[in-house]
Amino acid sequence: MAGRSSSPFAGRSWYDFALEYLDVRWRQTAAKTRCEDNDGLCALTLAMIRGRTLRPDEELLRRALRRRAFVVPRPADREVPGDERMALRWVARATRPVDDLLDPEVMKGVIQSLSVRADGSAVPGSTQRYCKKALVNAVGCAFGGGGAGEDLVPEIRWQVPADDEEVDP
């Protein structure tokens, strides 16, 4: 991935980019897709955090991102509970720059975090699929639109497992 052209979002944090990206996508997507985008952007944002210093509780981070950050329209700052507001401010400071996704090691780390839970268990294939879709679409938007996301993400092998769904007869 090295040697690719710089993003128009060079120097901007992933979180700032993700908020802008969601604003652009929101009106043109169906409700189910919005929900998947929300989940995918939450997972990607947590994967793009570079520091652990003073990290808020994982459940608080997920709740704040899911309910307050990755929805349109976003609630006014005064409507967000204090703990969630502080968590979102921490995320805004702690996420990597968008351009870091051009580094194969960063991309591998992001993909790894999207496929394995904190406890070491595998993330279900259906969840990995929409996280991968969110990653490919966001990377495509950040680095030139079109098929750019398809070009960048497959360079790092990511096999999404098939879901093992049991059907109750």
Side-chain angles (χ1 to χ4, degrees), residues 43-58:
L44 286 166
T45 300
L46 292 171
M48 287 293 285
I49 290 174
R50 64 177 153 208
R52 302 286 186 222
T53 307
L54 302 174
R55 183 184 177 108
D57 175 69
E58 192 75 13

Side-chain angles (χ1 to χ4, degrees), residues 91-111:
V91 168
R93 290 187 309 272
T95 54
R96 296 174 167 278
V98 173
D99 285 349
D100 281 7
L101 286 170
L102 293 172
D103 179 341
E105 292 306 311
V106 171
M107 183 65 84
K108 283 179 191 175
V110 167
I111 290 171

Side-chain angles (χ1 to χ4, degrees), residues 46 55-65 87 90-91:
L46 292 171
R55 183 184 177 108
D57 175 69
E58 192 75 13
E59 184 179 319
L60 172 61
L61 287 172
R62 289 183 185 281
R63 185 177 65 238
L65 289 168
W90 182 87
V91 168

Side-chain angles (χ1 to χ4, degrees), residues 89-169:
R89 287 180 183 153
W90 182 87
V91 168
R93 290 187 309 272
T95 54
R96 296 174 167 278
V98 173
D99 285 349
D100 281 7
L101 286 170
L102 293 172
D103 179 341
E105 292 306 311
V106 171
M107 183 65 84
K108 283 179 191 175
V110 167
I111 290 171
Q112 175 67 23
S113 71
L114 295 175
S115 4
V116 179
R117 291 189 175 121
D119 66 3
S121 63
V123 172
S126 58
T127 303
Q128 285 189 45
R129 261 189 292 293
Y130 63 72
C131 286
K132 182 176 184 178
K133 184 174 109 180
L135 177 60
V136 168
N137 290 337
V139 166
C141 178
F143 300 106
E150 290 291 343
D151 294 341
L152 293 173
V153 177
E155 288 184 19
I156 311 296
R157 292 185 164 262
W158 185 3
Q159 287 294 98
V160 176
D163 283 326
D164 294 330
E165 291 186 35
E166 277 189 38
V167 177
D168 184 3

